[in-house]
Amino acid sequence: MEKQSQNNGDASREKGIYRVTITGSIVNFLLLVFKFFAGIAGHSAAMLADAVHSLSDFITDIIVIVFVRISAKPEDEGHDYGHGKYETLATAIIGIFLLFVGFGIFWNGVTSIYGFLRGGTLQEPGMLALVAALVSIVFKEVLYQYTVLAGRKLNSQAVVANAWHHRSDALSSIGTAIGIGGAILLGSHWRVLDPVAAVIVSFFIMKVAVKLLIPCVDELLEKSLPADVESEIQKTILSFSGVSSPHHLRTRRIGNCYAIEVHVRMNGDISLEEAHRTATAIEEKLKGQFGKGTHVGIHVEPVKKEENGSAI
């Protein structure tokens, strides 16, 4: 019954991730089509760049859909700890996409600024491009709020990462709107506002990318869980009567789940059945604290005794 309940919960989580991601992909597709049209019809290179950014959003939506389906698979012969790290890999891919998009915006902006300072001219955008930028800001910010709330509720790193990609697109559109608006309202001498704003926004995008990539790298390199989490694990173990000296504690993340391995000591005179019952109780309590998908391995050792018979 408990196993069935867990499976139902996993299926519900997977459906929730699909729902929010598909909603985002539909909005992204409509926006990128509108942006490409506005960029071409409005003669705006900045809007075309923004459309490419939206295209990257659409691509990452597809990545999330594919990888979350894989990560939701149960344990099998080749994956004793499940497929949770596929979702981590998806998050890393999104972070890398963000990093490249941010650097691309930065490079294009710097190139445009350099050309302008050397006497070059920048093309004047049309009003349609400005309207497209404003529409993008509104829709992408709403999409960010919707996606990030869903990602936190579903405890999905990939969905939260995708939400930040929506936010980065909104920031990019803000820079685009400032540049296009300045070029239209202030004249040709202020067209440089577009690439300047794009360069500033690119730093925010790359900062978000790095913040997403660091925990992914930590997990893929098997970094231990935070010290406060390990301390909580030890307190839980010591809350059981007859259990002492938790040691050789090893922890890590596997996607959205924790993996915990630990050695504990119990009275060597108790029966194997009693030791097993206590170890199982510890395992169930840890799963209650950190989630049913937590992997727990407990090695039981007898309490050491000195030669005079006193326990240590």
Side-chain angles (χ1 to χ4, degrees):
M1 181 67 71
E2 182 179 335
K3 184 71 173 180
Q4 183 179 359
S5 176
Q6 180 178 343
N7 290 337
N8 291 338
D10 292 340
S12 176
R13 177 176 179 272
E14 185 180 353
K15 287 180 180 178
I17 292 174
Y18 284 146
R19 182 168 55 251
V20 67
T21 304
I22 290 174
T23 299
S25 66
I26 292 172
V27 174
N28 282 331
F29 180 75
L30 294 175
L31 277 177
L32 71 88
V33 171
F34 179 43
K35 286 181 179 181
F36 272 119
F37 173 77
I40 295 171
H43 307 291
S44 172
M47 179 49 61
L48 286 175
D50 207 23
V52 172
H53 193 190
S54 291
L55 178 61
S56 72
D57 254 0
F58 182 71
I59 293 173
T60 54
D61 287 339
I62 303 303
I63 291 173
V64 170
I65 291 173
V66 172
F67 278 83
V68 166
R69 176 172 289 278
I70 296 174
S71 70
K73 291 182 178 179
E75 298 89 347
D76 56 32
E77 291 184 3
H79 302 83
D80 294 331
Y81 287 89
H83 300 75
K85 285 195 175 181
Y86 282 92
E87 190 168 339
T88 303
L89 179 59
T91 306
I93 291 174
I94 293 172
I96 292 170
F97 260 107
L98 273 174
L99 194 61
F100 276 99
V101 168
F103 183 77
I105 293 173
F106 168 79
W107 182 259
N108 289 335
V110 169
T111 302
S112 296
I113 293 170
Y114 179 74
F116 182 82
L117 293 177
R118 288 179 59 86
T121 59
L122 298 176
Q123 188 174 16
E124 181 181 359
M127 186 61 70
L128 179 61
L130 178 59
V131 172
L134 296 175
V135 169
S136 176
I137 293 169
V138 173
F139 275 87
K140 295 300 293 189
E141 181 61 23
V142 171
L143 195 57
Y144 162 76
Q145 296 293 342
Y146 167 68
T147 306
V148 77
L149 289 175
R152 290 168 182 168
K153 182 178 179 180
L154 296 166
N155 191 29
S156 172
Q157 298 176 46
V159 172
V160 172
N162 210 23
W164 277 106
H165 207 164
H166 296 320
R167 169 61 68 82
S168 74
D169 205 8
L171 292 174
S172 177
S173 294
I174 290 174
T176 302
I178 292 173
I180 295 173
I184 293 174
L185 300 176
L186 301 178
S188 60
H189 294 296
W190 291 94
R191 291 178 191 172
V192 74
L193 285 175
D194 184 4
V196 168
V199 168
I200 294 173
V201 170
S202 71
F203 283 105
F204 287 100
I205 295 172
M206 288 187 282
K207 180 181 178 181
V208 170
V210 171
K211 288 177 68 176
L212 291 173
L213 285 171
I214 288 176
C216 291
V217 172
D218 287 343
E219 182 179 337
L220 293 174
L221 294 179
E222 305 288 350
K223 183 177 181 180
S224 302
L225 296 176
D228 59 330
V229 176
E230 292 196 340
S231 176
E232 186 178 351
I233 291 170
Q234 291 181 332
K235 289 179 181 178
T236 298
I237 293 171
L238 292 173
S239 68
F240 286 82
S241 176
V243 180
S244 62
S245 305
H247 56 288
H248 294 320
L249 175 63
R250 295 181 176 89
T251 62
R252 58 194 171 109
R253 287 190 68 100
I254 304 176
N256 291 295
C257 300
Y258 288 171
I260 302 168
E261 298 176 12
V262 65
H263 293 203
V264 299
R265 300 195 194 279
M266 298 184 194
N267 189 334
D269 295 329
I270 64 175
S271 66
L272 176 61
E273 182 179 356
E274 184 177 350
H276 171 70
R277 186 164 53 247
T278 302
T280 300
I282 295 173
E283 179 180 347
E284 291 303 317
K285 188 168 183 178
L286 288 171
K287 287 185 175 182
Q289 285 180 267
F290 303 112
K292 292 295 183 181
T294 304
H295 299 273
V296 182
I298 301 175
H299 176 77
V300 179
E301 301 173 358
V303 174
K304 290 184 177 181
K305 296 183 179 180
E306 293 181 329
E307 291 183 0
N308 61 8
S310 60
I312 60 172

